[in-house]
Amino acid sequence: MHSGSLKGEKYFMKFEKKAIIFDLDGVICFTDKFHYQAWKALADRLGIYFDEKINDRLRGVSRMASLEIILERSAETYTQEQKEAFAEEKNNIYRELLKTMSPADLTDEVRDTLVELRHRGYKLSIGSSSKNTKFILERIGLSDFFDAIADGTDISRSKPDPEVFLKSAAKLGVAPSDCAVVEDAKAGIEAAKAGGMAALALFGDAKDCGLEDYNLKSFSDLLNIF
Ligand code: B16
Ligand code: MG
């Protein structure tokens, strides 16, 4: 934690980094609600109990690993072929929900903060487990904004493995130790730390998970620490 008080005033020391890697779902935009709705539709059809608390465990983890967490509550045993069909069914529902998104789903706070961080000279990239990353960025009008994108199509191991963040840093040409990661998932905070990066928690189960270097009060709080 980089905070203290000086002559009675609260001050924050700056994180000295060259690049900031952003998680997508739950940080840049709120596709997490669509993941929930799509998994809920599948779970209801299969008669499996599923709620928001279980959904929190799906943050940052891959589609198939998410399905395995949901199936923990099922008495049935499914074949690999059936599981792949379930994952595809969920993804089709999810993509229909994503189609309702537009640049209006990017908040002014997120847009203005990203623009200001770029203006301050930081390299900015995405590190997301989602194979739908490019489609989502297109929907919210950020297709050409980031200096690099590493996503679910680039990796073989999802968070908490650091692979996606290490790929993102490599694409930027920045050493992991010069990167900070912004995450809403505890799995993502673990991944950032495993990759030797600073971990900034925003919302979700990342917040106060005990491994974070800093808890962000809001997205724009980034402007106080960089
Ligand atoms: P998809 P993030 C993650 O995105 C989601 O948090 C997680 O819930 C999802 O299962 C995963 O992407 C895979 O997504 O099914 O679209 O490939 O938080 O890493 O940006
Ligand atoms: Mg996330």
Side-chain angles (χ1 to χ4, degrees):
M1 230 326 249
H2 297 244
S3 70
S5 62
L6 184 67
K7 291 181 186 165
E9 272 181 36
K10 190 94 175 157
Y11 72 92
F12 291 96
M13 280 173 63
K14 305 278 180 186
F15 278 83
E16 288 177 14
K17 301 289 174 189
K18 292 182 182 155
I20 309 169
I21 303 175
F22 295 90
D23 172 57
L24 181 63
D25 168 64
V27 167
I28 296 291
C29 56
F30 299 99
T31 40
D32 44 349
K33 64 177 186 288
F34 294 146
H35 277 297
Y36 175 71
Q37 286 173 36
W39 283 125
K40 179 78 177 141
L42 177 74
D44 285 353
R45 186 180 76 69
L46 296 174
I48 301 171
Y49 179 78
F50 181 64
D51 63 16
E52 304 254 6
K53 195 157 178 270
I54 301 170
N55 188 60
D56 255 352
R57 292 174 57 206
L58 313 185
R59 289 178 188 276
V61 302
S62 71
R63 199 179 306 162
M64 285 310 278
S66 297
L67 177 66
E68 292 295 348
I69 292 171
I70 288 164
L71 294 182
E72 283 172 9
R73 296 264 184 161
S74 170
E76 300 276 327
T77 308
Y78 295 104
T79 63
Q80 187 57 26
E81 206 179 8
Q82 285 174 307
K83 289 179 186 177
E84 274 159 25
F86 293 157
E88 192 185 337
E89 182 180 334
K90 178 266 174 178
N91 193 49
N92 290 339
I93 300 169
Y94 179 59
R95 284 181 68 94
E96 283 306 309
L97 292 166
L98 291 179
K99 283 183 192 162
T100 66
M101 293 184 91
S102 73
D105 287 291
L106 181 69
T107 65
D108 289 346
E109 181 188 7
V110 171
R111 186 189 305 103
D112 295 349
T113 302
L114 288 173
V115 168
E116 177 58 22
L117 289 169
R118 155 106 3 105
H119 181 69
R120 292 184 189 182
Y122 291 96
K123 287 195 173 183
L124 308 175
S125 70
I126 292 286
S128 167
S129 301
S130 176
K131 291 183 175 157
N132 291 299
T133 293
K134 294 192 177 85
F135 182 52
I136 296 167
L137 290 174
E138 220 173 85
R139 298 303 311 166
I140 60 176
L142 284 182
S143 279
D144 300 321
F145 181 81
F146 292 96
D147 300 305
I149 296 169
D151 66 19
T153 64
D154 293 302
I155 56 170
S156 53
R157 298 176 302 279
S158 79
K159 303 164 190 175
D161 190 283
E163 188 180 8
V164 77
F165 295 139
L166 293 175
K167 282 256 161 77
S168 203
K171 286 187 186 199
L172 286 174
V174 175
S177 56
D178 283 325
C179 298
V181 166
V182 185
E183 260 292 348
D184 70 321
K186 185 180 176 213
I189 296 289
E190 288 169 348
K193 296 313 293 175
M197 302 175 182
L200 312 178
L202 179 69
F203 314 131
D205 64 350
K207 207 164 184 285
D208 295 316
C209 71
L211 294 167
E212 76 286 358
D213 293 296
Y214 183 79
N215 277 299
L216 289 160
K217 286 158 212 61
S218 59
F219 194 88
S220 58
D221 192 22
L222 286 166
L223 300 178
N224 297 319
I225 60 169
F226 287 106

